[in-house]
Every structure is written in C-alpha cells, then in structure tokens.
Amino acid sequence: EKNNLGKGRTTVCISSQVGCRQGCTFCATGKMGKLRSLTTDEILVQMFFAQKVVRLSNTSKNEQVLSVVDDAGDATSTTMGTRRRVAVTPLPPITNVVFMGMGEPADNAKSVRGA
C-alpha cells in the first residue's frame, strides 16, 4: 500500500480474542462464538512475528527457505518434510497496527491496553 507521500507502508491486523461473542451476521468469527481472550503477551507476539516477516522479506538475497510439512512428519518432528526456496516480495516497514482481526478489542480491553 502506498501512502500520500508515495512511500510504501505495511499495515498489521491484530487479533485480541479467539472467536468473538458479538455474533455479527456478516462475520465468520462471530458465528464461532468467543472461545477465550488473548493475553497481552499473545497479542504482542503477533506484532513481533509480523516484524520478523517484514525483516526477512528484506534480506539481501530476497529468497527464504520454506519448510514444507509432508504426510510423514509435522512441525515438531525431526523429519520436517522437504525444504525449498521461494521468492519473497520485500515489504515496507510496519507503519500501522489495527485491531481488526479476530475478536472485539473492547471485550478484552485490559490485555489490549497492555499490548
């Protein structure tokens, strides 16, 4: 996305809950109901992960190793499937953070404020 100065920017959409109690008819998350609220740490981890994705997308080689899990293993096993290199589009720095992911931020205000 380009801002009005022509510079790129990245917006991160953060979740505050697993599910949502609001029940909005247009939202798939609302249909699943609220399972639990996220802790402040769980909210912050989303931002740290997004920052890592941006940083890795801007490596000098601009190519990352991707682990592909096959039927023989899972992410916790010693056989993690095949590895392959994939091209990654460089991302501009994160300039915007919005709470528009899963959950209603006002229903988890304490953890949202802490984050």
mmCIF file of all heavy atoms in Angstrom, residues 52-88:
data_model
loop_
_atom_site.group_PDB
_atom_site.id
_atom_site.type_symbol
_atom_site.label_atom_id
_atom_site.label_comp_id
_atom_site.label_asym_id
_atom_site.label_seq_id
_atom_site.Cartn_x
_atom_site.Cartn_y
_atom_site.Cartn_z
ATOM 1 N N LYS A 52 9.143 -9.731 12.166
ATOM 2 C CA LYS A 52 10.100 -10.718 11.654
ATOM 3 C C LYS A 52 9.843 -10.999 10.177
ATOM 4 O O LYS A 52 10.777 -11.088 9.385
ATOM 5 C CB LYS A 52 10.005 -12.011 12.455
ATOM 6 C CG LYS A 52 10.980 -13.070 11.999
ATOM 7 C CD LYS A 52 10.896 -14.317 12.843
ATOM 8 C CE LYS A 52 11.901 -15.354 12.366
ATOM 9 N NZ LYS A 52 11.886 -16.557 13.198
ATOM 10 N N VAL A 53 8.579 -11.122 9.791
ATOM 11 C CA VAL A 53 8.236 -11.364 8.386
ATOM 12 C C VAL A 53 8.732 -10.213 7.522
ATOM 13 O O VAL A 53 9.334 -10.427 6.457
ATOM 14 C CB VAL A 53 6.715 -11.567 8.217
ATOM 15 C CG1 VAL A 53 6.314 -11.545 6.748
ATOM 16 C CG2 VAL A 53 6.275 -12.871 8.878
ATOM 17 N N VAL A 54 8.528 -8.977 7.979
ATOM 18 C CA VAL A 54 8.999 -7.814 7.216
ATOM 19 C C VAL A 54 10.519 -7.839 7.116
ATOM 20 O O VAL A 54 11.091 -7.639 6.043
ATOM 21 C CB VAL A 54 8.506 -6.496 7.858
ATOM 22 C CG1 VAL A 54 9.215 -5.290 7.253
ATOM 23 C CG2 VAL A 54 7.006 -6.368 7.697
ATOM 24 N N ARG A 55 11.196 -8.106 8.238
ATOM 25 C CA ARG A 55 12.657 -8.131 8.244
ATOM 26 C C ARG A 55 13.189 -9.203 7.294
ATOM 27 O O ARG A 55 14.093 -8.951 6.495
ATOM 28 C CB ARG A 55 13.174 -8.362 9.668
ATOM 29 C CG ARG A 55 14.685 -8.254 9.777
ATOM 30 C CD ARG A 55 15.198 -8.465 11.197
ATOM 31 N NE ARG A 55 15.047 -9.855 11.609
ATOM 32 C CZ ARG A 55 14.203 -10.294 12.537
ATOM 33 N NH1 ARG A 55 13.404 -9.465 13.161
ATOM 34 N NH2 ARG A 55 14.139 -11.577 12.845
ATOM 35 N N LEU A 56 12.621 -10.400 7.358
ATOM 36 C CA LEU A 56 13.083 -11.486 6.489
ATOM 37 C C LEU A 56 12.783 -11.214 5.020
ATOM 38 O O LEU A 56 13.519 -11.670 4.142
ATOM 39 C CB LEU A 56 12.462 -12.810 6.921
ATOM 40 C CG LEU A 56 12.953 -13.365 8.258
ATOM 41 C CD1 LEU A 56 12.174 -14.618 8.630
ATOM 42 C CD2 LEU A 56 14.443 -13.638 8.219
ATOM 43 N N SER A 57 11.719 -10.482 4.750
ATOM 44 C CA SER A 57 11.388 -10.185 3.353
ATOM 45 C C SER A 57 12.387 -9.211 2.737
ATOM 46 O O SER A 57 12.443 -9.072 1.527
ATOM 47 C CB SER A 57 9.973 -9.613 3.235
ATOM 48 O OG SER A 57 9.932 -8.250 3.628
ATOM 49 N N ASN A 58 13.169 -8.569 3.569
ATOM 50 C CA ASN A 58 14.125 -7.574 3.086
ATOM 51 C C ASN A 58 15.572 -8.033 3.198
ATOM 52 O O ASN A 58 16.480 -7.218 3.205
ATOM 53 C CB ASN A 58 13.930 -6.262 3.857
ATOM 54 C CG ASN A 58 12.655 -5.578 3.446
ATOM 55 O OD1 ASN A 58 12.541 -5.083 2.332
ATOM 56 N ND2 ASN A 58 11.673 -5.575 4.316
ATOM 57 N N THR A 59 15.802 -9.333 3.266
ATOM 58 C CA THR A 59 17.177 -9.831 3.315
ATOM 59 C C THR A 59 17.857 -9.566 1.984
ATOM 60 O O THR A 59 17.208 -9.403 0.954
ATOM 61 C CB THR A 59 17.221 -11.340 3.619
ATOM 62 O OG1 THR A 59 16.536 -12.038 2.588
ATOM 63 C CG2 THR A 59 16.628 -11.656 4.974
ATOM 64 N N SER A 60 19.158 -9.550 1.999
ATOM 65 C CA SER A 60 19.903 -9.214 0.778
ATOM 66 C C SER A 60 19.656 -10.222 -0.339
ATOM 67 O O SER A 60 19.670 -9.872 -1.507
ATOM 68 C CB SER A 60 21.391 -9.109 1.087
ATOM 69 O OG SER A 60 21.865 -10.335 1.597
ATOM 70 N N LYS A 61 19.447 -11.465 0.004
ATOM 71 C CA LYS A 61 19.216 -12.478 -1.023
ATOM 72 C C LYS A 61 17.778 -12.468 -1.522
ATOM 73 O O LYS A 61 17.484 -12.992 -2.587
ATOM 74 C CB LYS A 61 19.562 -13.861 -0.484
ATOM 75 C CG LYS A 61 21.024 -14.038 -0.186
ATOM 76 C CD LYS A 61 21.298 -15.419 0.345
ATOM 77 C CE LYS A 61 22.757 -15.559 0.699
ATOM 78 N NZ LYS A 61 23.057 -16.857 1.281
ATOM 79 N N ASN A 62 16.872 -11.907 -0.724
ATOM 80 C CA ASN A 62 15.459 -11.823 -1.080
ATOM 81 C C ASN A 62 14.877 -13.188 -1.447
ATOM 82 O O ASN A 62 14.047 -13.324 -2.318
ATOM 83 C CB ASN A 62 15.222 -10.828 -2.213
ATOM 84 C CG ASN A 62 13.763 -10.443 -2.306
ATOM 85 O OD1 ASN A 62 13.050 -10.482 -1.308
ATOM 86 N ND2 ASN A 62 13.313 -10.075 -3.477
ATOM 87 N N GLU A 63 15.390 -14.214 -0.787
ATOM 88 C CA GLU A 63 14.888 -15.558 -1.011
ATOM 89 C C GLU A 63 14.956 -16.280 0.326
ATOM 90 O O GLU A 63 15.931 -16.167 1.050
ATOM 91 C CB GLU A 63 15.770 -16.270 -2.042
ATOM 92 C CG GLU A 63 15.153 -17.508 -2.602
ATOM 93 C CD GLU A 63 16.008 -18.082 -3.718
ATOM 94 O OE1 GLU A 63 16.939 -18.828 -3.408
ATOM 95 O OE2 GLU A 63 15.728 -17.777 -4.889
ATOM 96 N N GLN A 64 13.911 -16.975 0.697
ATOM 97 C CA GLN A 64 13.848 -17.610 2.001
ATOM 98 C C GLN A 64 13.675 -19.116 1.858
ATOM 99 O O GLN A 64 13.104 -19.593 0.881
ATOM 100 C CB GLN A 64 12.669 -17.057 2.808
ATOM 101 C CG GLN A 64 12.747 -15.572 3.058
ATOM 102 C CD GLN A 64 13.972 -15.192 3.863
ATOM 103 O OE1 GLN A 64 14.327 -15.875 4.808
ATOM 104 N NE2 GLN A 64 14.619 -14.120 3.476
ATOM 105 N N VAL A 65 14.141 -19.845 2.863
ATOM 106 C CA VAL A 65 13.920 -21.290 2.910
ATOM 107 C C VAL A 65 12.579 -21.523 3.577
ATOM 108 O O VAL A 65 12.290 -20.985 4.635
ATOM 109 C CB VAL A 65 15.038 -22.000 3.697
ATOM 110 C CG1 VAL A 65 14.714 -23.472 3.864
ATOM 111 C CG2 VAL A 65 16.370 -21.802 3.006
ATOM 112 N N LEU A 66 11.759 -22.300 2.952
ATOM 113 C CA LEU A 66 10.435 -22.605 3.467
ATOM 114 C C LEU A 66 10.361 -24.088 3.770
ATOM 115 O O LEU A 66 10.683 -24.916 2.919
ATOM 116 C CB LEU A 66 9.371 -22.236 2.423
ATOM 117 C CG LEU A 66 7.930 -22.551 2.757
ATOM 118 C CD1 LEU A 66 7.448 -21.683 3.906
ATOM 119 C CD2 LEU A 66 7.055 -22.361 1.544
ATOM 120 N N SER A 67 9.985 -24.431 4.986
ATOM 121 C CA SER A 67 9.781 -25.839 5.326
ATOM 122 C C SER A 67 8.384 -26.241 4.890
ATOM 123 O O SER A 67 7.412 -25.571 5.208
ATOM 124 C CB SER A 67 9.919 -26.052 6.828
ATOM 125 O OG SER A 67 11.231 -25.864 7.226
ATOM 126 N N VAL A 68 8.306 -27.320 4.171
ATOM 127 C CA VAL A 68 7.018 -27.832 3.727
ATOM 128 C C VAL A 68 6.770 -29.138 4.454
ATOM 129 O O VAL A 68 7.547 -30.088 4.321
ATOM 130 C CB VAL A 68 7.014 -28.057 2.198
ATOM 131 C CG1 VAL A 68 5.666 -28.598 1.757
ATOM 132 C CG2 VAL A 68 7.335 -26.760 1.485
ATOM 133 N N VAL A 69 5.725 -29.183 5.245
ATOM 134 C CA VAL A 69 5.418 -30.388 6.004
ATOM 135 C C VAL A 69 4.704 -31.361 5.083
ATOM 136 O O VAL A 69 3.747 -31.020 4.403
ATOM 137 C CB VAL A 69 4.537 -30.049 7.224
ATOM 138 C CG1 VAL A 69 4.153 -31.307 7.973
ATOM 139 C CG2 VAL A 69 5.267 -29.078 8.136
ATOM 140 N N ASP A 70 5.206 -32.591 5.059
ATOM 141 C CA ASP A 70 4.556 -33.608 4.244
ATOM 142 C C ASP A 70 3.789 -34.572 5.140
ATOM 143 O O ASP A 70 3.714 -34.379 6.348
ATOM 144 C CB ASP A 70 5.570 -34.349 3.365
ATOM 145 C CG ASP A 70 6.665 -35.015 4.185
ATOM 146 O OD1 ASP A 70 6.459 -35.262 5.382
ATOM 147 O OD2 ASP A 70 7.725 -35.289 3.613
ATOM 148 N N ASP A 71 3.220 -35.596 4.572
ATOM 149 C CA ASP A 71 2.420 -36.553 5.329
ATOM 150 C C ASP A 71 3.234 -37.345 6.341
ATOM 151 O O ASP A 71 2.682 -37.909 7.280
ATOM 152 C CB ASP A 71 1.714 -37.530 4.379
ATOM 153 C CG ASP A 71 0.657 -36.827 3.547
ATOM 154 O OD1 ASP A 71 0.184 -35.766 3.984
ATOM 155 O OD2 ASP A 71 0.326 -37.338 2.463
ATOM 156 N N ALA A 72 4.549 -37.393 6.167
ATOM 157 C CA ALA A 72 5.377 -38.219 7.037
ATOM 158 C C ALA A 72 5.760 -37.520 8.336
ATOM 159 O O ALA A 72 6.251 -38.145 9.248
ATOM 160 C CB ALA A 72 6.637 -38.638 6.295
ATOM 161 N N GLY A 73 5.567 -36.225 8.426
ATOM 162 C CA GLY A 73 6.010 -35.524 9.622
ATOM 163 C C GLY A 73 5.145 -34.325 9.935
ATOM 164 O O GLY A 73 4.242 -33.984 9.193
ATOM 165 N N ASP A 74 5.427 -33.731 11.068
ATOM 166 C CA ASP A 74 4.744 -32.496 11.419
ATOM 167 C C ASP A 74 5.793 -31.494 11.883
ATOM 168 O O ASP A 74 6.976 -31.794 11.935
ATOM 169 C CB ASP A 74 3.666 -32.731 12.479
ATOM 170 C CG ASP A 74 4.222 -33.311 13.765
ATOM 171 O OD1 ASP A 74 5.293 -32.848 14.214
ATOM 172 O OD2 ASP A 74 3.585 -34.210 14.318
ATOM 173 N N ALA A 75 5.374 -30.317 12.245
ATOM 174 C CA ALA A 75 6.310 -29.247 12.568
ATOM 175 C C ALA A 75 7.153 -29.547 13.799
ATOM 176 O O ALA A 75 8.190 -28.934 14.000
ATOM 177 C CB ALA A 75 5.547 -27.946 12.760
ATOM 178 N N THR A 76 6.749 -30.489 14.640
ATOM 179 C CA THR A 76 7.515 -30.788 15.845
ATOM 180 C C THR A 76 8.397 -32.022 15.693
ATOM 181 O O THR A 76 9.180 -32.328 16.571
ATOM 182 C CB THR A 76 6.573 -31.015 17.043
ATOM 183 O OG1 THR A 76 5.701 -32.103 16.749
ATOM 184 C CG2 THR A 76 5.760 -29.771 17.329
ATOM 185 N N SER A 77 8.284 -32.736 14.608
ATOM 186 C CA SER A 77 9.071 -33.955 14.442
ATOM 187 C C SER A 77 10.453 -33.624 13.890
ATOM 188 O O SER A 77 10.721 -32.513 13.462
ATOM 189 C CB SER A 77 8.356 -34.931 13.503
ATOM 190 O OG SER A 77 8.432 -34.459 12.180
ATOM 191 N N THR A 78 11.326 -34.602 13.914
ATOM 192 C CA THR A 78 12.670 -34.397 13.381
ATOM 193 C C THR A 78 12.680 -34.459 11.856
ATOM 194 O O THR A 78 13.594 -33.960 11.227
ATOM 195 C CB THR A 78 13.645 -35.459 13.929
ATOM 196 O OG1 THR A 78 13.121 -36.750 13.644
ATOM 197 C CG2 THR A 78 13.832 -35.281 15.416
ATOM 198 N N THR A 79 11.676 -35.041 11.254
ATOM 199 C CA THR A 79 11.569 -35.051 9.796
ATOM 200 C C THR A 79 10.509 -34.028 9.412
ATOM 201 O O THR A 79 9.326 -34.286 9.435
ATOM 202 C CB THR A 79 11.166 -36.441 9.269
ATOM 203 O OG1 THR A 79 9.936 -36.816 9.876
ATOM 204 C CG2 THR A 79 12.222 -37.471 9.599
ATOM 205 N N MET A 80 10.966 -32.840 9.083
ATOM 206 C CA MET A 80 10.036 -31.740 8.840
ATOM 207 C C MET A 80 9.618 -31.622 7.389
ATOM 208 O O MET A 80 9.146 -30.581 6.962
ATOM 209 C CB MET A 80 10.639 -30.424 9.310
ATOM 210 C CG MET A 80 10.695 -30.317 10.814
ATOM 211 S SD MET A 80 11.226 -28.708 11.376
ATOM 212 C CE MET A 80 10.022 -27.632 10.655
ATOM 213 N N GLY A 81 9.782 -32.675 6.618
ATOM 214 C CA GLY A 81 9.365 -32.594 5.227
ATOM 215 C C GLY A 81 10.466 -32.000 4.374
ATOM 216 O O GLY A 81 11.619 -31.941 4.751
ATOM 217 N N THR A 82 10.099 -31.534 3.204
ATOM 218 C CA THR A 82 11.086 -31.004 2.277
ATOM 219 C C THR A 82 11.275 -29.513 2.506
ATOM 220 O O THR A 82 10.413 -28.841 3.047
ATOM 221 C CB THR A 82 10.600 -31.225 0.827
ATOM 222 O OG1 THR A 82 9.343 -30.573 0.664
ATOM 223 C CG2 THR A 82 10.452 -32.692 0.519
ATOM 224 N N ARG A 83 12.413 -29.026 2.090
ATOM 225 C CA ARG A 83 12.699 -27.592 2.156
ATOM 226 C C ARG A 83 12.879 -27.092 0.733
ATOM 227 O O ARG A 83 13.470 -27.761 -0.097
ATOM 228 C CB ARG A 83 13.968 -27.316 2.957
ATOM 229 C CG ARG A 83 13.824 -27.633 4.418
ATOM 230 C CD ARG A 83 15.104 -27.219 5.148
ATOM 231 N NE ARG A 83 15.024 -27.524 6.542
ATOM 232 C CZ ARG A 83 14.603 -26.674 7.467
ATOM 233 N NH1 ARG A 83 14.226 -25.473 7.124
ATOM 234 N NH2 ARG A 83 14.556 -27.026 8.734
ATOM 235 N N ARG A 84 12.372 -25.919 0.482
ATOM 236 C CA ARG A 84 12.564 -25.330 -0.834
ATOM 237 C C ARG A 84 12.701 -23.822 -0.691
ATOM 238 O O ARG A 84 12.253 -23.238 0.284
ATOM 239 C CB ARG A 84 11.404 -25.669 -1.765
ATOM 240 C CG ARG A 84 10.075 -25.137 -1.296
ATOM 241 C CD ARG A 84 8.966 -25.506 -2.230
ATOM 242 N NE ARG A 84 7.707 -25.130 -1.606
ATOM 243 C CZ ARG A 84 6.547 -25.252 -2.158
ATOM 244 N NH1 ARG A 84 6.446 -25.748 -3.355
ATOM 245 N NH2 ARG A 84 5.468 -24.883 -1.530
ATOM 246 N N ARG A 85 13.322 -23.223 -1.658
ATOM 247 C CA ARG A 85 13.494 -21.772 -1.651
ATOM 248 C C ARG A 85 12.354 -21.137 -2.434
ATOM 249 O O ARG A 85 11.987 -21.614 -3.500
ATOM 250 C CB ARG A 85 14.832 -21.384 -2.265
ATOM 251 C CG ARG A 85 15.999 -21.839 -1.434
ATOM 252 C CD ARG A 85 17.254 -21.055 -1.784
ATOM 253 N NE ARG A 85 18.319 -21.383 -0.866
ATOM 254 C CZ ARG A 85 18.519 -20.791 0.302
ATOM 255 N NH1 ARG A 85 17.714 -19.843 0.690
ATOM 256 N NH2 ARG A 85 19.506 -21.147 1.079
ATOM 257 N N VAL A 86 11.824 -20.071 -1.854
ATOM 258 C CA VAL A 86 10.758 -19.343 -2.533
ATOM 259 C C VAL A 86 11.113 -17.860 -2.540
ATOM 260 O O VAL A 86 11.709 -17.342 -1.602
ATOM 261 C CB VAL A 86 9.384 -19.547 -1.845
ATOM 262 C CG1 VAL A 86 8.901 -20.971 -1.987
ATOM 263 C CG2 VAL A 86 9.435 -19.158 -0.394
ATOM 264 N N ALA A 87 10.761 -17.186 -3.613
ATOM 265 C CA ALA A 87 10.993 -15.751 -3.710
ATOM 266 C C ALA A 87 10.010 -15.033 -2.788
ATOM 267 O O ALA A 87 8.854 -15.411 -2.682
ATOM 268 C CB ALA A 87 10.803 -15.281 -5.146
ATOM 269 N N VAL A 88 10.501 -14.013 -2.105
ATOM 270 C CA VAL A 88 9.687 -13.252 -1.173
ATOM 271 C C VAL A 88 9.711 -11.797 -1.608
ATOM 272 O O VAL A 88 10.772 -11.228 -1.831
ATOM 273 C CB VAL A 88 10.234 -13.376 0.269
ATOM 274 C CG1 VAL A 88 9.441 -12.536 1.227
ATOM 275 C CG2 VAL A 88 10.231 -14.833 0.704
#
